[in-house]
Amino acid sequence: MASIISLVLCLIIIGILYKNMITWEGSYRISRGQALLPVVLGLLSVPLSFVFFLIIGLTFKAVTGFVPTDGPALLASFNHALFSAALNEELAKLIITLIVLCIYRKKWRNVYEYMLVAGAVGFGFTLIEDFVYSMGLTGLLMRLPNVTVHMMLGLAMGRHLGLARYNKVTGRGSVVKEYLLAYFVPVLCHTIFDFFAANMLIHAGDNVETITPEIERTTYIGAGMVLIIVIPIFIFQFYIFRRLKKNAANLTALSFMDTNSADQKS
């Protein structure tokens, strides 16, 4: 039941936000197909990320001899955040985003539209992830305050992908650097978020018959780490979308249209 509630709330909250984001571009907006396709294909990024999860996990074990969740709690928290979540999930979303960009390649006009695409892929990813992981009231309450995280990561990805194309058609900056940032900026932010929000310390008392004072302290530290990241991100997301609304016109002005013919020749 909690999973269904989480799915519905996610659909309503991010759906309204996404619809508003489209209007921020101005009177000349993306089409309905351009708006919906990245959300639909974003759903597929979840199973795709699981494939990458298996590949990365097997590679990690083959190289190191242990799985990411082994070892001291803090190290395991970092390894799990990076190798079991950030790398595979952001890679899956990047691939889906690039597919959508290729499908409508001749119709994307500016950097802001690239941000909409990657943000919409994050929207689709969130729908499935929230349905799967919002088990029980606790899971629902923990995930709901940061429901836009994947969309924000997508916006960062889309901004750098858009700047990569803008630099390519204008010759004003590095294309390779922006492509690298399109992947590694979301990976870094994702890793930091999961390191705190999904740290292993909060599970110190799991499968333990007797809760010692040390285990209790470890659990409290883990809970503190969760609050350290969840509360600031909850506040930060309001700032991000207010700033995006304010800067939408500037991002839209970073247009590919003036040099569209040069783009098609390259």
Side-chain angles (χ1 to χ4, degrees):
M1 186 62 179
S3 295
I4 297 176
I5 295 174
S6 179
L7 175 63
V8 173
L9 289 176
C10 176
L11 185 60
I12 293 173
I13 295 171
I14 305 186
I16 293 174
L17 177 61
Y18 180 48
K19 184 177 180 180
N20 288 333
M21 287 167 57
I22 293 173
T23 66
W24 296 343
E25 185 181 9
S27 57
Y28 191 46
R29 302 166 190 165
I30 62 175
S31 68
R32 180 174 297 181
Q34 288 173 280
L36 293 179
L37 184 63
V39 179
V40 174
L41 292 185
L43 302 174
L44 301 179
S45 62
V46 176
L48 181 60
S49 71
F50 182 71
V51 173
F52 292 139
F53 163 78
L54 294 177
I55 295 172
I56 293 172
L58 291 173
T59 302
F60 184 90
K61 186 174 182 179
V63 173
T64 65
F66 56 90
V67 298
T69 53
D70 289 342
L74 286 178
L75 177 61
S77 298
F78 175 80
N79 287 337
H80 179 72
L82 177 60
F83 296 103
S84 299
L87 288 175
N88 55 288
E89 291 180 9
E90 298 310 321
L91 179 58
K93 289 186 290 181
L94 176 61
I95 290 174
I96 295 297
T97 298
L98 291 174
I99 290 174
V100 177
L101 291 175
C102 286
I103 291 174
Y104 287 105
R105 176 170 175 78
K106 296 182 179 180
K107 293 187 177 183
W108 305 117
R109 300 177 295 262
N110 53 67
V111 172
Y112 186 71
E113 292 182 354
Y114 268 53
M115 294 176 69
L116 288 176
V117 173
V121 171
F123 178 13
F125 188 96
T126 302
L127 288 174
I128 300 297
E129 188 179 63
D130 273 29
F131 180 78
V132 172
Y133 290 109
S134 295
M135 298 297 182
L137 182 60
T138 301
L140 173 62
L141 294 177
M142 287 297 297
R143 296 187 63 82
L144 189 59
N146 303 121
V147 71
T148 66
V149 166
H150 277 293
M151 175 172 272
M152 289 193 292
L153 293 172
L155 292 174
M157 179 183 290
R159 179 178 180 273
H160 288 294
L161 288 174
L163 288 173
R165 183 176 178 188
Y166 182 76
N167 289 346
K168 180 179 180 181
V169 300
T170 62
R172 296 185 180 182
S174 172
V175 175
V176 174
K177 183 188 76 172
E178 295 299 338
Y179 275 126
L180 292 174
L181 290 175
Y183 178 58
F184 287 108
V185 167
V187 165
L188 176 62
C189 295
H190 195 155
T191 300
I192 294 172
F193 180 82
D194 277 17
F195 172 71
F196 284 91
N199 70 84
M200 300 296 177
L201 277 69
I202 58 177
H203 300 292
D206 294 357
N207 302 318
V208 176
E209 295 183 1
T210 303
I211 303 297
T212 64
E214 182 180 357
I215 292 177
E216 194 173 45
R217 283 195 299 271
T218 301
T219 304
Y220 286 150
I221 293 173
M225 289 176 64
V226 174
L227 294 177
I228 285 173
I229 196 68
V230 168
I231 294 176
I233 293 299
F234 174 73
I235 299 171
F236 184 65
Q237 61 190 341
F238 291 98
Y239 166 77
I240 283 293
F241 289 106
R242 286 184 62 183
R243 183 179 177 184
L244 179 62
K245 181 179 181 180
K246 182 179 179 180
N247 293 334
N250 295 331
L251 293 164
T252 301
L254 297 176
S255 174
F256 318 130
M257 298 301 290
D258 294 339
T259 51
N260 189 53
S261 59
D263 180 39
Q264 291 179 3
K265 292 179 182 179
S266 60

